[in-house]
């Protein structure tokens, strides 16, 4: 079996490959309906969103360009909460463009809230967010998410781009890690 070694670190599968594919189709359909033939810039948030973005973009039908950003935000409980650190910025100008931020998961909401604010300051024509996973129980900062895929419980998940310590991004499904992996 292809992912046997990785699979053994997973407690249980939360979202199957099939469910992910269905979700991507559903999100793409909504986005296609909303934008019609309006050109769109996908802003892909590295690294976790690359797998989702790759699947999603193939289902979108408008004229489309992509760009990448890598950001981090300090978690809640720190003085710097809400501060966003840009590790890699966009390489194109988004002024006057329709921007769709593509995210893997929304957790506290801190990163996306700050990022949306920051990009709005660059005067895009419109700016929206699309996420494949959402953990609303963990929300600290309210953020408007126009396209949301699957709501999941408050569990740390990996796969489909999501990592633990940079690993497990290549799992084709979303799963909950075994406790023993953290405790090692
Ligand atoms: P937040 O919404 O600002 O808390 O941050 C969201 C980011 O935290 C995501 O883009 C992920 O990189 C990471 N993250 C949140 N929850 C998980 C998880 O369950 N597994 C892996 N990464 C996660
Ligand atoms: Mg991460």
């Amino acid at each position: 079996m292809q992912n046997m070694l990785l699979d053994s670190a997973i407690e249980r599968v939360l979202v199957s490959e099939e469910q992910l594919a269905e979700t991507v189709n559903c999100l793409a359909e909504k986005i296609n309906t909303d934008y019609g033939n309006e050109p769109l810039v996908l802003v892909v948030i590295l690294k976790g969103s690359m797998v989702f973005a790759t699947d999603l973009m193939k289902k979108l039908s408008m004229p489309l360009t992509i760009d990448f950003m890598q950001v981090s935000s300090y978690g809640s409980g720190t003085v710097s909460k809400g501060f966003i650190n840009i590790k890699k910025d966009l390489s194109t100008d988004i002024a006057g463009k329709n921007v769709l931020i593509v995210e893997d998961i929304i957790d506290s909401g801190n990163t996306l809230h700050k990022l949306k604010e920051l990009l709005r300051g660059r005067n895009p024509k419109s700016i929206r967010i699309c996420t494949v996973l959402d953990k609303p129980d963990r929300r600290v900062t309210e953020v408007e998410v126009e396209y949301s895929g699957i709501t999941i419980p408050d569990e740390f998940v990996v796969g489909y781009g999501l990592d633990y310590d940079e690993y497990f991004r290549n799992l084709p499904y979303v799963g909950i890690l075994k406790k023993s992996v953290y405790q090692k």
Side-chain angles (χ1 to χ4, degrees):
M1 199 178 158
Q2 198 194 356
N3 280 298
M4 202 168 63
L5 285 173
L6 287 180
D7 287 336
S8 65
I10 300 301
E11 186 73 53
R12 77 185 161 92
V13 176
L14 201 58
V15 190
S16 70
E17 246 183 297
E18 293 73 22
Q19 275 174 284
L20 285 164
E22 263 172 46
T23 304
V24 169
N25 281 338
C26 210
L27 289 169
E29 222 170 88
K30 285 188 196 135
I31 296 166
N32 284 333
T33 303
D34 289 356
Y35 290 88
N37 206 35
E38 283 267 320
L40 189 61
V41 183
L42 289 190
V43 169
V44 181
I45 310 304
L46 298 172
K47 303 171 189 172
S49 307
M50 61 163 269
V51 178
F52 169 48
T54 306
D55 285 348
L56 181 72
M57 68 181 290
K58 289 182 282 185
K59 306 284 178 185
L60 297 178
S61 50
M62 68 290 288
L64 186 106
T65 62
I66 58 167
D67 206 341
F68 302 93
M69 262 185 117
Q70 191 169 9
V71 296
S72 62
S73 82
Y74 292 97
S76 54
T78 71
V79 185
S80 312
K81 190 181 104 180
F83 176 82
I84 193 168
N85 174 34
I86 301 181
K87 293 185 189 168
K88 187 221 170 291
D89 206 340
L90 298 175
S91 58
T92 51
D93 185 7
I94 56 165
K97 310 249 177 86
N98 293 308
V99 171
L100 184 63
I101 300 172
V102 181
E103 185 55 302
D104 50 1
I105 188 165
I106 303 184
D107 190 36
S108 70
N110 290 337
T111 313
L112 261 288
H113 173 77
K114 280 284 157 195
L115 184 64
K116 207 174 185 183
E117 229 170 64
L118 180 110
L119 293 182
R120 200 173 265 138
R122 297 181 186 179
N123 301 314
K125 183 178 177 189
S126 69
I127 184 156
R128 290 183 180 176
I129 294 174
C130 177
T131 187
V132 64
L133 300 173
D134 189 3
K135 272 198 256 186
D137 293 348
R138 298 256 310 166
R139 203 73 91 246
V140 173
T141 310
E142 269 319 303
V143 56
E144 198 184 343
V145 182
E146 289 80 3
Y147 306 99
S148 182
I150 303 167
T151 298
I152 63 164
D154 182 9
E155 298 271 11
F156 190 80
V157 293
V158 294
Y160 201 61
L162 289 154
D163 72 303
Y164 169 65
D165 205 12
E166 294 296 330
Y167 287 94
F168 303 105
R169 295 191 196 276
N170 52 325
L171 279 177
Y173 56 82
V174 172
I176 299 170
L177 261 194
K178 277 182 185 163
K179 290 239 160 41
S180 57
V181 177
Y182 297 86
Q183 285 159 359
K184 247 192 275 180

